[in-house]
Amino acid sequence: MAIAERDATGRTGAAGASADPRSAGRAARGSRRKRLRRDAVLLLLAAPGVAYFVVFHYGAMAGNVIAFKDYVPFDGLWASQWVGLSNFQAVLADDAFWHAVVNTLWIALLQLVFFFPVPIALAMLLHSLTRDSVRRFVQSVAYLPHFLSWVIVVAVFQQVLGEAGLLNNVLGDAHLHTVDVIGNPAAFKPLVVAQVIWKDCGWGTIIFLAALAQVDEQQYEAAAIDGAGPWRRFWHVTLPSLRPIIVLLLIMRLGDILSVGFEQMLLQRASVGPDAAEIIDTLVWQRGLVQGDYGYAAAAGLFKGVVGAVLVFAANKVAHRLGEQGVYA
Amino acid sequence: MSAAGVRPAWMEKPRPLTQAAKGVALAVVVLLVLVPFLIIVSTSFASDREVIDGGGWVLWPQHPTLRAYREIFDGGIVGHALWVSAGVTLVGTAASLACTIGLAYALSRRDLFGGKPVLLLVLFTFLFPPGMIPSFLLVKSMHLLNSYASLIAPFLLNVFNLVVLRGFFQSVPEELHEAARLDGAGEWLILRRIVLPLSKAALAVVGLFYSVSYWNAWFYASIYLDSDHWPLQQVLRTYVIGGAQLADTGAGDASAVAAPQTIQMAVLVVATVPILLVYPFLQKYFTKGVLTGAVKS
């Protein structure tokens, strides 16, 4: 989900003098000790959160040095031998890595084509309902799967589409061909997209519904009076009003293209095999945490992290250039 | 949303065909979500015989029984996992909310000492997450493996939730702060007496997001904890998705069969119910919570 900052720093706007030490703070900015003392309580409140980020994000990030070492658990992280870029060379020369990259991009592309438009369509359908009670009911039901874990979602799909599941029972009773969906590598990628649609298409409507709600009702009215039918109103009023948000979400999704449902893939990797289900993140898990090749796994993970950060950064710049609000300040 | 429940005068009367198509589409959406749930709940209450006769599932149990639930709560691995999940969710959500409120409030104040570098420090982690292997090594080096703290401490704050709360705190009018300060209140008192009561909606949403993510977590449990410490979702994964045997529920006998369908479905229901319980109460806050701090169009 994209995150936008409010205003640049929140510092502007303190109108007039008052008892507020914060507006006085601007004048006294030179004196750091004064500001430190004034903000002591706030800094104390912030301390646990800041400590968390320092330890569990930056502390962990420092562990990426392992990607440049030949890690021997017995020697520990710091005593292990430096090996330069040889872990990265191993990753980039590894067919399994490129296979995982191709799988990742392929699944991301399928989701972009087949998942991305669904919440937009559903939001328009919901928005067009004139009866509030119906709309609210459908919304409540459609948001729900978003809050279920991937474990539950995958289990539900097994129950419905599995070999002995609901669908095959119905088909069998009707003496029709049963389908082989779960555990079938050929059907895996469509299955993955279907799962994402089931879990998140309802939740995804929220942002589009909000955009639709902001369209000035008078625009529709004016268009209708000018003789535009429902289809032309959709084309000339609704779509243009959704355009900025669609473009923004699309760009952000492209920036995040190297991450496609790690938990979802890992849960089903055993049943369809790595050929169909291996993505970059599951490869990192397999090589590092299962096989114990920490150097290789950390290098692959770091490679993904750096490329991913560059992509998100670039996507944000593009979004800014198009005049939309970016993800961060 | 269009004006409450009435069709505006300029809008054509919808054609019956369009109406029907819409109705069908909505019904499909609702049924696709609800039918799987109905079947899972029904099967969990059905007797083993009914399930076998029905070929593995039951749409509506003729002779509902609580046997499956009694078995999983009779001690054993599911009962224990349920306690683990509940404990981690409660403690984790409380800790996460406390830390998020503190940092979000500090960062919401204008001209905070060191506010800008701290904000950048936080937002950068959004751009560049630490990665699976370094996180694992960190948790290991902190001796948190096989401790429930490993399910909480590394996930204490979430940048998205932080930004949502900060946005809400910033929307509290500055005049209220000033009035309170004139009355001699400090930041701590202002936060407790003014800002938090005004941000209930945001706190509800952020609390929900945190508790759902603690409740649903399984991956890090699978790498940080041995099976004696597993939370419910990881147990569910192993026994329902993986098809392993639920040994100590007394459900399966010694022959290596997967747990009977009814028990698997009961575990699934138990893992889902807490979410279904809080969901209706918090639902009205979703839109507000998601849109604050999220994209503004």
Side-chain angles (χ1 to χ4, degrees):
Chain A
M1 182 77 35
I3 297 175
E5 277 311 303
R6 292 175 72 81
D7 52 78
T9 60
R11 256 181 222 180
T12 46
S18 68
D20 183 0
R22 238 146 247 294
S23 31
R26 266 184 94 73
R29 280 209 60 180
S31 162
R32 307 184 71 192
R33 283 225 342 245
K34 240 183 205 162
R35 288 178 67 216
L36 191 59
R37 188 173 311 159
R38 181 200 65 191
D39 289 344
V41 176
L42 289 174
L43 293 173
L44 214 62
L45 281 169
V50 174
Y52 161 77
F53 280 106
V54 169
V55 172
F56 285 100
H57 285 258
Y58 292 91
M61 254 180 240
N64 274 313
V65 292
I66 198 177
F68 304 93
K69 290 193 164 202
D70 178 22
Y71 179 67
V72 181
F74 184 75
D75 292 346
L77 181 54
W78 302 107
S80 292
Q81 285 268 313
W82 289 98
V83 291
L85 293 176
S86 72
N87 284 324
F88 291 91
Q89 281 164 353
V91 169
L92 296 180
D94 185 1
D95 286 343
F97 175 74
W98 292 109
H99 182 76
V101 171
V102 170
N103 263 347
T104 307
L105 294 176
W106 189 221
I107 293 169
L109 184 74
L110 285 176
Q111 288 187 2
L112 213 52
V113 175
F114 294 103
F115 169 71
F116 191 81
V118 181
I120 304 176
L122 184 57
M124 287 180 179
L125 178 61
L126 287 169
H127 185 73
S128 76
L129 297 179
T130 34
R131 217 179 306 158
D132 276 347
S133 56
V134 177
R135 196 186 57 225
R136 268 199 222 107
F137 172 71
V138 179
Q139 272 177 296
S140 305
V141 172
Y143 291 170
L144 182 61
H146 173 77
F147 293 94
L148 304 178
S149 71
W150 271 112
V151 176
I152 292 176
V153 174
V154 170
V156 167
F157 267 75
Q158 264 185 9
Q159 290 308 315
V160 176
L161 299 179
E163 205 187 327
L166 173 64
L167 182 65
N168 278 334
N169 265 291
V170 174
L171 292 175
D173 289 349
H175 302 290
L176 293 169
H177 266 295
T178 54
V179 292
D180 178 22
V181 182
I182 305 291
N184 176 2
F188 183 65
K189 288 189 172 75
L191 173 69
V192 160
V193 177
Q195 288 167 339
V196 172
I197 292 177
W198 191 78
K199 190 175 195 285
D200 276 329
C201 91
W203 188 249
T205 61
I206 290 185
I207 214 150
F208 296 111
L209 280 172
L212 286 169
Q214 282 177 358
V215 183
D216 190 351
E217 199 76 7
Q218 290 182 348
Q219 282 192 43
Y220 285 114
E221 191 172 355
I225 289 166
D226 287 348
W231 182 241
R232 294 189 65 188
R233 289 203 299 272
F234 167 76
W235 198 249
H236 293 290
V237 182
T238 312
L239 263 193
S241 66
L242 285 184
R243 195 196 60 95
I245 195 78
I246 292 176
V247 170
L248 179 64
L249 289 182
L250 208 52
I251 291 171
M252 294 335 294
R253 184 64 200 107
L254 284 174
D256 204 25
I257 201 160
L258 294 183
S259 302
V260 283
F262 165 65
E263 294 194 347
Q264 185 192 7
M265 299 302 148
L266 187 57
L267 287 169
Q268 301 175 89
R269 189 178 175 278
S271 77
V272 293
D275 249 9
E278 195 85 288
I279 55 169
I280 303 172
D281 291 324
T282 56
L283 182 73
V284 170
W285 167 82
Q286 165 72 19
R287 288 297 171 86
L289 298 174
V290 179
Q291 296 177 2
D293 189 351
Y294 291 99
Y296 175 102
L302 185 58
F303 182 81
K304 183 211 156 194
V306 170
V307 175
V310 170
L311 284 176
V312 173
F313 192 76
N316 201 62
K317 281 275 173 274
V318 173
H320 262 299
R321 184 136 324 153
L322 292 174
E324 325 291 354
Q325 187 65 275
V327 241
Y328 52 92
Chain B
M1 326 249 142
S2 48
V6 265
R7 191 191 330 284
W10 48 265
M11 200 186 275
E12 313 74 354
K13 248 193 146 90
R15 281 175 302 179
L17 201 65
T18 324
Q19 283 298 80
K22 268 190 202 175
V24 169
L26 292 175
V28 167
V29 170
V30 170
L31 290 179
L32 279 180
V33 175
L34 292 187
V35 168
F37 280 109
L38 175 68
I39 286 168
I40 287 165
V41 173
S42 298
T43 306
S44 75
F45 285 111
S47 62
D48 284 347
R49 173 124 304 277
E50 268 182 292
V51 174
I52 291 164
D53 290 347
W57 56 275
V58 173
L59 194 58
W60 193 256
Q62 298 297 320
H63 314 284
T65 160
L66 287 172
R67 211 182 58 102
Y69 292 90
R70 231 176 277 128
E71 283 193 26
I72 60 176
F73 285 113
D74 250 14
I77 201 163
V78 177
H80 181 257
L82 188 62
W83 282 112
V84 173
S85 285
V88 166
T89 302
L90 284 178
V91 175
T93 305
S96 287
L97 269 179
C99 294
T100 311
I101 289 170
L103 185 54
Y105 183 63
L107 288 175
S108 76
R109 304 301 294 136
R110 286 181 282 116
D111 196 38
L112 174 75
F113 182 80
K116 205 160 185 205
V118 167
L119 189 63
L120 283 177
L121 185 102
V122 168
L123 290 177
F124 181 73
T125 65
F126 182 75
L127 193 68
F128 191 81
M132 191 191 310
I133 302 295
S135 300
F136 175 78
L137 294 174
L138 178 72
V139 167
K140 195 175 157 202
S141 72
M142 294 173 85
H143 303 289
L144 289 178
L145 291 184
N146 275 331
S147 117
Y148 295 124
S150 69
L151 299 185
I152 297 175
F155 313 99
L156 202 53
L157 267 91
N158 170 290
V159 177
F160 177 77
N161 289 340
L162 182 75
V163 172
V164 168
L165 266 193
R166 175 173 172 261
F168 260 80
F169 292 164
Q170 280 175 329
S171 69
V172 172
E174 191 58 34
E175 290 75 30
L176 287 177
H177 283 270
E178 283 176 22
R181 209 170 286 108
L182 281 175
D183 289 342
E187 292 288 1
W188 173 238
L189 206 62
I190 295 176
L191 172 64
R192 259 181 40 213
R193 290 286 171 77
I194 297 173
V195 175
L196 288 185
L198 286 173
S199 311
K200 276 187 194 138
L203 292 173
V205 173
V206 169
L208 173 76
F209 287 165
Y210 274 129
S211 53
V212 167
S213 74
Y214 282 118
W215 181 261
N216 281 346
W218 59 271
F219 171 67
Y220 284 97
S222 78
I223 61 174
Y224 292 159
L225 303 176
D226 62 33
S227 56
D228 291 340
H229 291 80
W230 278 351
L232 191 56
Q233 301 281 345
Q234 173 62 10
V235 169
L236 187 65
R237 178 217 180 178
T238 315
Y239 296 106
V240 178
I241 296 183
Q245 188 191 1
L246 263 176
D248 55 351
T249 59
D253 46 47
S255 60
V257 289
Q261 186 77 349
T262 50
I263 296 201
Q264 292 193 8
M265 294 307 100
V267 180
L268 206 53
V269 171
V270 170
T272 313
V273 158
I275 289 174
L276 296 184
L277 286 182
V278 291
Y279 180 76
F281 299 102
L282 295 162
Q283 208 214 337
K284 57 180 173 180
Y285 300 127
F286 287 163
T287 306
K288 224 173 158 189
V290 170
L291 292 177
T292 315
V295 182
K296 291 192 177 146
S297 47

